[in-house]
Amino acid sequence: MGDDEKKETGEKSERSAEEHEETYKSEGEPLSRQVSESSVYATDVDEEDDVGSKIQLGPQCTLKEHLEKDKDDESLRRWKEQLLGSVDVTNVAEILDPEVKITSLSIVSPDRDDIILPIPEDGNLKGLWFTLKEGSHYRLKFTFEVSNNIVSGLKYTNTVWKTGVKVDSSKEMLGTFSPQAEPYTHEMPEETTPSGLFARGTYSARSKFLDDDNKCYLEINYTFDIRKEWA
């Protein structure tokens, strides 16, 4: 075989591989849509809504459509069954958009009993939400329910200000969750409250629960104190 024939054969193979890849992307989309770095970090930590940069994700599917895709692929089928768990797909409504409801929020610390936080319906709290003791170790714990469809790339963001200056921001990727009757429970990594004269005082903050589409399921605007002792 001559060099020209080898080159032509190689180009055909490359085109064939590219065509196969495009077919997979359009017809065999995996159950969990790809989570790109830009989608994970689409929500600015400064809490400024960037309306002009909406993320373009692949088309959503109902649960039944997810199961029908790639049903001849044994490994994908097992993975989907593992993700969906005991969900009875025959009784699930044909709804594209998932629904996530945060059912409880609490602060867990080894120094005291858990602080149960009330969840406001409109997301805006009046007055102080909680008080933390300076230098204490604590975690945020919450439970949530998922219904209708799979929620992809669920994440939690929190931004804190003191006297109008941003002093802290954090983001935690929670993962992808399928609908189920029982609520999910998640604990954030342990944090340590700052201490000292300049750390004590009143802070304002904003917490959000969002998914890969930047759909916000809960936003809470609140204030809290750091003091010498627990309230």
Side-chain angles (χ1 to χ4, degrees):
M1 181 182 292
D3 292 339
D4 292 341
E5 291 178 310
K6 290 181 179 178
K7 183 177 182 181
E8 183 179 354
T9 303
E11 290 176 350
K12 287 182 179 179
S13 298
E14 290 179 3
R15 286 199 300 270
S16 176
E18 291 174 356
E19 290 171 358
H20 175 75
E21 182 180 356
E22 291 301 319
T23 301
Y24 174 77
K25 288 180 178 178
S26 61
E27 297 180 2
E29 184 187 9
L31 182 59
S32 175
R33 288 171 292 159
Q34 292 296 321
V35 183
S36 65
E37 183 174 327
S38 61
S39 69
V40 172
Y41 293 96
T43 302
D44 190 358
V45 293
D46 291 331
E47 299 298 325
E48 295 177 355
D49 294 329
D50 189 1
V51 179
S53 59
K54 182 171 179 60
I55 296 157
Q56 300 298 322
L57 297 173
Q60 282 186 301
C61 301
T62 64
L63 285 179
K64 290 182 180 179
E65 289 171 338
H66 275 311
L67 287 176
E68 285 298 318
K69 284 187 176 184
D70 310 306
K71 60 183 179 181
D72 295 330
D73 189 317
E74 183 66 18
S75 60
L76 270 178
R77 183 184 64 80
R78 288 198 303 268
W79 180 74
K80 292 175 183 180
E81 290 177 350
Q82 182 179 5
L83 177 63
L84 292 174
S86 58
V87 175
D88 185 359
V89 181
T90 59
N91 292 328
V92 175
E94 294 291 321
I95 300 175
L96 285 176
D97 293 328
E99 186 59 43
V100 177
K101 182 180 180 181
I102 311 302
T103 55
S104 71
L105 285 166
S106 60
I107 294 174
V108 180
S109 175
D111 301 333
R112 55 157 298 146
D113 295 336
D114 294 355
I115 303 173
I116 308 301
L117 303 174
I119 302 175
E121 292 184 2
D122 61 356
N124 295 307
L125 282 154
K126 294 181 179 180
L128 207 63
W129 202 21
F130 57 86
T131 296
L132 297 174
K133 178 184 176 181
E134 64 176 351
S136 61
H137 300 282
Y138 71 96
R139 297 174 184 268
L140 177 65
K141 179 181 179 181
F142 51 85
T143 59
F144 59 96
E145 298 173 348
V146 178
S147 57
N148 297 341
N149 205 342
I150 296 167
V151 59
S152 177
L154 187 65
K155 57 182 174 282
Y156 167 83
T157 67
N158 189 58
T159 306
V160 181
W161 296 267
K162 186 178 184 183
T163 62
V165 178
K166 189 179 76 170
V167 295
D168 184 61
S169 63
S170 60
K171 185 175 299 184
E172 175 84 358
M173 176 58 71
L174 308 180
T176 296
F177 303 90
S178 64
Q180 65 177 31
E182 299 79 17
Y184 293 94
T185 300
H186 183 86
E187 283 196 20
M188 300 288 288
E190 185 177 85
E191 297 187 50
T192 302
T193 309
S195 59
L197 177 62
F198 295 105
R200 294 192 291 271
T202 300
Y203 295 77
S204 60
R206 178 182 297 134
S207 294
K208 289 184 177 182
F209 291 87
L210 312 100
D211 65 13
D212 260 353
D213 292 315
N214 272 343
K215 179 180 178 180
C216 184
Y217 298 100
L218 179 64
E219 176 180 329
I220 304 178
N221 298 282
Y222 61 96
T223 59
F224 68 96
D225 276 357
I226 294 179
R227 299 179 184 175
K228 289 185 176 181
E229 298 295 336
W230 297 100

